[in-house]
Amino acid sequence: REAVSPRAAPPPETAKVTGTRAPDTSPRLRDPCASAVPCRRSAPAARGRPGPPPLLTRAWARLRRPRWEGPPQSRTRPAPRARPLPLALGPLREPGRAAWARRSRPRLFQNLLLLLWALLNCGLGVGAQGPGEWTPWVSWTRCSSSCGRGVSVRSRRCLRLPGEDPCWGDSHEYRLCQLPDCPPGAVPFRDLQCALYNGRPVLGTQKTYQWVPFHGAPNQCDLNCLAEGHAFYHSFGRVLDGTACSPGAQGVCVAGRCLSPGCDGLLGSGALEDRCGRCGGANDSCLFVQRVFRDAGAFAGYWNVTLIPEGARHIRVAHRSRNHLALMGGDGRYVLNGDWAVSPPGTYEAAGTHVVYTRDTGPQETLQAAGPTSHNLLLQVLLQEPNPGIEFEFWLPQERYSPFQARVQALGWPLWQPQPREVEPQPPAAPAVIPARTPTLAPDPCPPCPDTRGRAHRLLHYCGSDFVFQARVLSRHRQAQETRYEVRIQLVYKNRSPLRAREYVWAPGHCPCPMLAPHRDYLLAVQRLVSPNGTQDRLLLPHAGYARPWSPAEDSRIRLTARRCPI
């Protein structure tokens, strides 16, 4: 017989739990996203963000599962059975406490990882800092010059918090300011800066000199001054902001750099106008007109080619024949090659723009104009032989294209200038009859140049020159006994000293050979010529030297020549 203590409670009956979980009262980590506070859960399908790692997912599943939960197929457990208490009661101890502590140690590390992921996922952590923010631009400063061209500057500050990246962009902007022209006799800005050192000892001696600007040094934005009466120059550091890089150049010096203004007026921005005249545009506000006129006239004389309407830009006309292009203004007066007289090549003013007329010995004629035109122009051709084709192109605003089409269709091809004389049809063997009014074309004032083609000529000039480069001719200026070309260097094949982006190339004589046409690309082999007193430093294109129109074939030939030329 067993002795039962009177204080012992009656043994409870066996209870069975079917499917309903007992409340979990053990201290565990709660779901940080289960509270009423809005929280961002990891939803890869909804938000496109990656979910937690598999390790954290399994750890969270174990935490949410009750300790009594068994395998998925067993969801019930028997109720604990009551045991009779012994008569001798000793100190009560919680069973399994040491084992629970041992089992909870690995789980503590998983809980910490899960907590860290929850904080980051719910937006409570500190994210990566971005760049700082700029303050608004301050006002533009006054122009650096009192007349002519100068520079104005404005600045802004970058506000950064600890850990933020620097602001994106520049802290200073420079723009070109144009004031009224300086009065005649005014001292140029660079000359004035050199004159500040007149009578002051330099070079560690007590000698003094009179200084004038020197433009032959490599760095254009250094104050390079030549000692008058001596064959040396000295650099006194940087020039002041707003000083022209070189005489006649568009760029100005800012902080020791030569910067050119963009179409937005900012120096160094590189902004360019598109073919429609919009600064930074994408050629989407105008239309490109390109055609070939192939009609052959029935008689020698002036024939209409096309109407160049008001607002046209980037006009180009070209042909290869003994015929001559003619241009008539809106008032019925000829701009060039009118009234049966052939005009010399050059630049002409027409419809508010400059028209560049070139004629080669090819024979080839071209007309080029930047535009926009202020009124309509009529393009004609003075026929003397069958027309092989005249190519013309220009860009026109979209709103002007329909009126242009209607005007051309209404105009047809009637002549604006009466042509009373016609050429009678002749047998094929008989020479063509030229009207008596047609004057004899004046011969080209420049004699033909000697033939300089061939591999030997190319090799001779490449090896004997100081510079070989590809350049675009920007302008041509003829003086008494020499010709000066302003070129823009595009690709250098050979150089013995640094070259600037823009250079002057000099050629001897009023009619140099070969003659370079403006707005065309050439391969040039030039020599460096320094005067005995050191005041002049020039690039010289010798007579009958190497100057070929650039083409991919000529580029390959010059590269092959470079391998055969001894260093």
Side-chain angles (χ1 to χ4, degrees), residues 138-455:
V138 299
S139 302
W140 291 98
T141 61
R142 296 179 57 185
C143 192
S144 61
S145 178
S146 58
C147 62
R149 297 193 309 166
V151 171
S152 181
V153 62
R154 66 176 182 177
S155 60
R156 58 180 177 177
R157 296 177 55 193
C158 179
L159 301 180
R160 298 171 54 191
L161 296 177
E164 288 186 335
D165 297 333
C167 299
W168 298 339
D170 297 328
S171 59
H172 291 76
E173 279 188 349
Y174 303 88
R175 71 176 180 182
L176 191 67
C177 49
Q178 184 70 43
L179 300 178
D181 294 338
C182 297
V187 180
F189 197 23
R190 191 182 287 264
D191 295 51
L192 185 61
Q193 298 177 57
C194 286
L196 295 176
Y197 296 93
N198 290 344
R200 298 175 58 181
V202 295
L203 305 177
T205 63
Q206 297 301 321
K207 292 183 179 181
T208 59
Y209 305 92
Q210 300 295 316
W211 302 97
V212 294
F214 177 68
H215 300 285
N219 194 344
Q220 306 175 78
C221 291
D222 282 348
L223 185 57
N224 304 305
C225 302
L226 178 69
E228 287 187 329
H230 299 79
F232 68 91
Y233 72 93
H234 184 69
S235 179
F236 293 98
R238 294 179 178 176
V239 296
L240 297 179
D241 290 348
T243 306
C245 299
S246 60
Q250 294 294 327
V252 295
C253 293
V254 174
R257 298 182 301 162
C258 183
L259 302 179
S260 298
C263 59
D264 53 1
L266 300 180
L267 293 172
S269 65
L272 300 175
E273 286 188 352
D274 64 353
R275 295 292 181 175
C276 310
R278 296 177 55 187
C279 185
N283 301 330
D284 54 356
S285 62
C286 57
L287 298 176
F288 182 47
V289 180
Q290 184 181 33
R291 299 175 184 174
V292 179
F293 177 74
R294 299 186 181 276
D295 293 351
F299 56 86
Y302 289 90
W303 287 80
N304 291 342
V305 176
T306 185
L307 179 71
I308 301 177
E310 177 184 354
R313 293 176 178 269
H314 301 280
I315 306 165
R316 184 181 181 275
V317 186
H319 78 105
R320 300 182 65 89
S321 67
R322 293 178 58 248
N323 303 324
H324 295 281
L325 299 173
L327 197 62
M328 179 186 291
D331 55 356
R333 298 180 181 180
Y334 278 99
V335 178
L336 57 89
N337 292 343
D339 300 326
W340 303 92
V342 179
S343 305
T347 303
Y348 295 84
E349 184 77 20
T353 185
H354 295 282
V355 180
V356 180
Y357 172 53
T358 60
R359 183 174 64 248
D360 298 338
T361 58
Q364 180 179 1
E365 273 188 333
T366 59
L367 285 179
Q368 291 183 344
T373 54
S374 58
H375 55 264
N376 296 338
L377 293 173
L378 181 63
L379 178 65
Q380 296 180 335
V381 59
L382 177 57
L383 287 179
Q384 298 185 98
E385 65 181 18
N387 174 32
I390 300 175
E391 301 176 358
F392 63 90
E393 61 184 42
F394 52 84
W395 291 78
L396 194 63
Q398 294 183 2
E399 62 273 10
R400 296 183 182 272
Y401 184 75
S402 296
F404 160 69
Q405 288 288 83
R407 182 71 181 274
V408 169
Q409 293 176 3
L411 180 64
W413 299 116
L415 297 178
W416 286 22
Q417 174 177 331
Q419 300 290 333
R421 300 190 180 187
E422 297 184 359
V423 177
E424 298 294 336
Q426 301 292 333
V433 177
I434 304 298
R437 291 183 56 186
T438 304
T440 303
L441 297 180
D444 197 333
C446 295
C449 295
D451 189 6
T452 57
R453 295 174 297 180
R455 183 172 54 185

Side-chain angles (χ1 to χ4, degrees), residues 101-121:
R102 288 193 300 269
R103 288 195 304 269
S104 63
R105 289 174 184 174
R107 186 176 300 171
L108 179 61
F109 177 71
Q110 298 175 356
N111 293 347
L112 291 177
L113 291 179
L114 183 61
L115 178 62
L116 178 60
W117 172 82
L119 292 177
L120 294 177
N121 194 42

